[in-house]
Amino acid sequence: MKDIFKAIEEVAFSIDSAIKNEDLGYSDSENSSGEEQLKLDVQSDKIIEDRFASVSSVKALVSEEKEGVLEFDNDGEYTLCYDPLDGSSLVDVNLSVGSIFGIYKGELKGDNIVASAYVVYGPRIELVWVEKGKAPILYRAKGREFKEIGEIKLNPKGKLNASGGTQQHWEAKHKAFIDGLFANGYRLRYSGGMVPDLHQILLKGGGLFSYPATTDKPNGKLRQLFEVIPFALVYESAGGSAIDDKGKRLLELVPSHPHDTSPCFFGSNSEIEALQVAYGI
Ligand code: AHG
Ligand code: MN
Ligand code: MN
């Protein structure tokens, strides 16, 4: 797994440089979710594909920006599922964005994720790496290297509240639940990039991030293999919880297509318990 970690460190610096220096315009194509691809989405995808082509333990790639599975000609044991540039539409307003990686062994489902990582491109570059069964570890870039900062642990209860989706399309129970959190003193923190939003909750000790089912997106927006399941591993390993709107652990999701989405909730245990009560799940 060391070779995968090293490759992620390297692509993080290359993608950061692309974000800082390259053209911000649209490409002339769409991704599998029907979203217009920015040139930076396509470029970041290519940076990861080119680097992982020489990582012999990775036999296949599944990317937000690719339709199917890209198989390499090797005997590797892992499949890397990734979102090369999450929140890419925030680059033109100079907000933080990220990359997300899930490393799977065997069939592509929650139970088979063995490690995950994400990179935050903000005022500094940070990387979080977690292997199943261990605590997530935070690294911060210094020069051209990542230095280990320490383990990440969520408090049992936090203060931050971040919910995605258009409020007009929220279900009544979601609106009532979110209003209830604010009535109990929670602060709104939502940038529209799941990587910095989830990272903030993790590092500030806790809270809740939701991307619920909405009337316009009944299965939510965030994609299981390269957004939802990798962060579920980070949150559970930090001592928190990660469930869907039926109360099922996100680490038990079994996607039937690489681009399947799921409603998702990540948080400290106290907020997830409050969600279960409010949703009756
Ligand atoms: P991407 O840029 O990879 O398509 O993902 C953006 C995602 C995620 O980062 C964020 O939490 C969510 O979209 C925001 O969606 P809403 O604007 O609907 O809240
Ligand atoms: Mn994304
Ligand atoms: Mn993306």
Side-chain angles (χ1 to χ4, degrees), residues 64 83 85-87 100 194 223 227:
E64 180 181 280
D83 179 352
L85 197 55
D86 178 76
I100 312 166
M194 74 179 299
R223 283 140 294 209
E227 293 177 319

Side-chain angles (χ1 to χ4, degrees), residues 101-104 107-116 130-134 224-225 227-244 247-255 262-266:
F101 304 87
I103 299 137
Y104 296 82
E107 195 191 330
L108 297 178
K109 59 178 188 175
D111 198 34
N112 284 345
I113 193 163
V114 292
S116 69
V130 62
E131 288 174 35
K132 203 173 191 169
K134 298 185 183 169
Q224 298 179 25
L225 283 178
E227 293 177 319
V228 171
I229 296 170
F231 266 112
L233 182 63
V234 174
Y235 265 67
E236 283 204 3
S237 308
S241 304
I243 62 172
D244 71 6
K248 178 166 145 177
R249 285 172 66 231
L250 297 171
L251 285 175
E252 289 171 9
L253 288 173
V254 183
S262 170
C264 53
F265 302 87
F266 306 86

Side-chain angles (χ1 to χ4, degrees), residues 168-243:
Q168 178 193 16
H169 296 128
W170 284 356
E171 293 174 74
K173 67 180 174 199
H174 189 67
K175 172 138 182 53
F177 170 55
I178 294 295
D179 286 348
L181 290 178
F182 287 131
N184 280 303
Y186 281 79
R187 288 166 190 274
L188 172 65
R189 291 290 183 266
Y190 193 76
S191 74
M194 74 179 299
V195 175
D197 288 338
L198 282 161
H199 189 59
Q200 180 170 193
I201 291 169
L202 279 168
L203 296 197
K204 299 278 188 196
L208 184 77
F209 177 96
S210 324
Y211 204 106
T214 55
T215 49
D216 58 334
K217 291 189 176 108
N219 292 320
K221 174 182 181 187
L222 299 177
R223 283 140 294 209
Q224 298 179 25
L225 283 178
F226 35 80
E227 293 177 319
V228 171
I229 296 170
F231 266 112
L233 182 63
V234 174
Y235 265 67
E236 283 204 3
S237 308
S241 304
I243 62 172

Side-chain angles (χ1 to χ4, degrees), residues 6 34 46 67 70-71 77 81 89 126 136 153 183 204 215 239:
K6 189 167 174 283
K46 175 104 178 47
E67 179 60 44
L70 175 73
E71 314 246 6
E77 50 182 338
C81 299
S89 66
E126 293 189 334
K153 189 149 178 42
K204 299 278 188 196
T215 49

